[in-house]
Amino acid sequence: MDFSPALHRLSRLAPMDHAAVSALTESMGRSQHYRPRRDLVVEGRDIPSPQLILSGWAARVRILLDGRRQFLNFLLPGDVVGHYHHHSPVAPTSVITLTEVTTCVPPDWGTSPSLDEAYAVAHALDEAYLLAQIARLGRMNAMERIGDLMLELQERLAMSGLTQGASYDLPITQETLADALGLTAVHVNRMLQAARRAGDLLWSSRSMTIPDPKALSRKVGRAQVRVSSG
Amino acid sequence: MDFSPALHRLSRLAPMDHAAVSALTESMGRSQHYRPRRDLVVEGRDIPSPQLILSGWAARVRILLDGRRQFLNFLLPGDVVGHYHHHSPVAPTSVITLTEVTTCVPPDWGTSPSLDEAYAVAHALDEAYLLAQIARLGRMNAMERIGDLMLELQERLAMSGLTQGASYDLPITQETLADALGLTAVHVNRMLQAARRAGDLLWSSRSMTIPDPKALSRKVGRAQVRVSSG
DNA sequence: CGCTAGTTTGAGCTAAATCAAGTGAGGTGG
DNA sequence: CCACCTCACTTGATTTAGCTCAAACTAGCG
């Protein structure tokens, strides 16, 4: 199994020194595997320990009393779950796997300055993606939401080297996408067809292609998420 | 001017030791004042320094290219803006004042263990409110969004001692509320009238009253945000 | 070969948006 | 103290984006 995407991403967030790389590879030795649709973290329960996603997709989720489901954000390789640096011992939301997922327990804070830096930047990015999600759900229409999210995923996966040119692997169902975008699966389906007809998004057999990201960004009125560190 | 609400809230997040209280009162001596509709932080600009809200309301906001506006969260007395503990020197969103606002630069991290604790818990709560906002916008209808947000504000203001029984001061316009809830002002107006008719929410002359919070919580399918520390 | 999970299509329906025209209250200046 | 202006709120009529329900269709898989 190749765990380089996670390493790739952390190195991009902050250049990894030797201590960081060796601590990380050591951690990755003790990896955990999960099947799809398993709970990684359960809301309200004690958080076991932070987990670094090595491969596969997971998501934070909130379920309303009547069963309505909202995915709060996606967790991709290189993302850290449950890094509540210090306090607040209780998980504020559940995390479930969307695909087969491999994780490991990442090295503690303080292991290496560059790793700490990467953790901090990762956390700042996490928050930026939450803010983007709020703007998406609050003020964008269905078409814009889809385009905007696909662009965000493209950017994020690019950071872990998980894109192939203008394409990336999108291993989720339209139903899942709908629950992330605050829409119904039926409507997502129709909008995806429209996006394909417009030449904005090509999605088939798990592969998402964005022929012209700049044009799409412009079309959905998208602002960039900066990756600045330091 | 009475700045006790902020102090009240921080003390509730973590019991303040003597060092913390004196550092805070000292900071509050050098307070800044802002008029309504002023920028506290501008997106993309360098962050000057963190600010502790002492009085008044502010909000993080994102504006789309065509002018659509989404408030990401409200900032109330006792909230800290721009505490990007370590890195990421660029503001990810703008912050604007909604009312007259007084702020001060809070004591640095490390000034007192109990203050650090309070900052950490405040930050965790911040994130919890962002998640709540996502679920609200993604999966609740207009009536539920309004009820849920009004309950959240009640809870938050209670932490700073800014509630009077079942009521609190709500110094914003319906337009502002609409931009926080991803709705139009016209629709918010109609839903507020319906809520009043149903006896769920009474809002007049800036005073919001929730006659039966438990019933309303049940009605909107609301989950509690925990304030656990430690 | 037949399940099952996912996608697609069609036909209404409805919550919320849009557009447009009031009303009302506070604040200012003449 | 009144006239006027502005900003917020209210109301009505109409439109529409997205939902709901229900029934195919498709593809992988044991």
Side-chain angles (χ1 to χ4, degrees), chain A residues 37 139 172-175 186 189-190 193 203:
Chain A
R37 301 157 183 276
R139 284 297 180 220
I172 60 176
T173 66
Q174 295 182 1
E175 170 93 44
V186 170
N189 180 283
R190 293 196 231 263
Q193 290 176 54
W203 185 18

Side-chain angles (χ1 to χ4, degrees), chain B residues 95-224:
Chain B
V95 176
I96 66 165
T97 59
L98 300 173
T99 66
E100 303 253 336
V101 164
T102 316
T103 69
C104 70
V105 177
D108 285 335
W109 284 83
T111 301
S112 124
S114 67
L115 192 54
D116 284 0
E117 166 91 11
Y119 286 157
V121 176
H123 188 258
L125 273 179
D126 259 16
E127 180 162 321
Y129 294 130
L130 290 184
L131 299 176
Q133 172 78 333
I134 291 175
R136 207 153 37 218
L137 296 175
R139 283 297 180 222
M140 289 186 178
N141 63 31
M143 201 62 228
E144 293 167 333
R145 288 185 208 181
I146 294 175
D148 188 65
L149 180 58
M150 293 307 107
L151 285 163
E152 178 184 304
L153 290 172
Q154 160 86 253
E155 274 178 23
R156 290 175 62 181
L157 290 168
M159 279 197 252
S160 0
L162 285 171
T163 51
Q164 298 82 43
S167 304
Y168 55 91
D169 184 42
L170 186 60
I172 59 177
T173 65
Q174 295 182 0
E175 170 93 45
T176 300
L177 201 48
D179 283 342
L181 294 172
L183 302 167
T184 60
V186 171
H187 198 55
V188 165
N189 180 283
R190 292 197 232 263
M191 291 298 105
L192 282 168
Q193 290 177 53
R196 130 154 318 154
R197 266 181 262 116
D200 290 333
L201 296 173
L202 308 175
W203 186 18
S204 68
S205 53
R206 291 186 29 162
S207 175
M208 170 61 72
T209 303
I210 306 178
D212 189 343
K214 293 214 170 154
L216 185 56
S217 292
R218 223 173 304 116
K219 191 176 286 191
V220 304
R222 176 152 218 275
Q224 300 294 341

Side-chain angles (χ1 to χ4, degrees), chain A residues 68-86:
Chain A
R68 278 173 286 179
R69 183 171 74 162
Q70 177 64 46
F71 287 119
L72 304 166
N73 63 359
F74 288 118
L75 298 164
L76 312 179
D79 281 335
V80 181
V81 191
H83 234 177
Y84 305 106
H85 334 62
H86 323 86

Side-chain angles (χ1 to χ4, degrees), chain A:
Chain A
M1 189 80 204
D2 179 19
F3 296 155
S4 61
L7 196 53
H8 193 282
R9 175 168 191 260
L10 292 173
S11 310
R12 176 159 308 191
L13 297 184
M16 291 288 115
D17 58 27
H18 191 66
V21 173
S22 70
L24 276 167
T25 26
E26 215 259 326
S27 298
M28 289 176 179
R30 280 170 273 100
S31 66
Q32 290 248 357
H33 197 83
Y34 299 86
R35 325 233 55 216
R37 301 157 183 276
R38 293 294 185 283
D39 291 328
L40 269 187
V41 178
V42 176
E43 183 168 353
R45 283 272 190 77
D46 289 9
I47 293 170
S49 55
Q51 298 196 267
L52 172 64
I53 312 266
L54 298 175
S55 73
W57 287 37
R60 289 214 265 186
V61 65
R62 184 153 291 174
I63 312 277
L64 302 196
L65 294 181
D66 64 353
R68 278 173 286 179
R69 183 171 74 162
Q70 177 64 46
F71 287 119
L72 304 166
N73 63 359
F74 288 118
L75 298 164
L76 312 179
D79 281 335
V80 181
V81 191
H83 234 177
Y84 305 106
H85 334 62
H86 323 86
H87 316 80
S88 152
V90 171
T93 53
S94 301
V95 176
I96 66 164
T97 58
L98 299 173
T99 65
E100 303 253 337
V101 164
T102 317
T103 69
C104 70
V105 177
D108 285 335
W109 284 83
T111 300
S112 123
S114 66
L115 192 55
D116 285 359
E117 165 91 11
Y119 286 157
V121 176
H123 188 258
L125 273 178
D126 260 17
E127 181 163 322
Y129 294 130
L130 291 184
L131 298 177
Q133 173 78 333
I134 292 175
R136 206 152 39 219
L137 296 175
R139 284 297 180 220
M140 289 186 178
N141 64 29
M143 200 62 229
E144 293 167 334
R145 288 184 207 182
I146 294 175
D148 188 66
L149 181 58
M150 293 307 108
L151 286 164
E152 177 184 304
L153 291 173
Q154 160 85 254
E155 273 178 24
R156 290 175 62 181
L157 291 168
M159 279 197 251
S160 0
L162 287 170
T163 50
Q164 298 83 43
S167 304
Y168 54 92
D169 184 43
L170 185 61
I172 60 176
T173 66
Q174 295 182 1
E175 170 93 44
T176 300
L177 201 48
D179 283 342
L181 294 172
L183 301 167
T184 60
V186 170
H187 197 57
V188 165
N189 180 283
R190 293 196 231 263
M191 292 298 104
L192 282 169
Q193 290 176 54
R196 130 153 320 156
R197 265 182 262 116
D200 290 333
L201 296 173
L202 308 174
W203 185 18
S204 67
S205 54
R206 289 187 32 164
S207 175
M208 171 60 72
T209 303
I210 305 178
D212 189 344
K214 293 214 169 153
L216 185 55
S217 292
R218 222 173 305 116
K219 191 178 284 191
V220 304
R222 178 155 214 275
Q224 300 294 342
V225 172
R226 246 168 269 280
V227 195
S228 67
S229 70

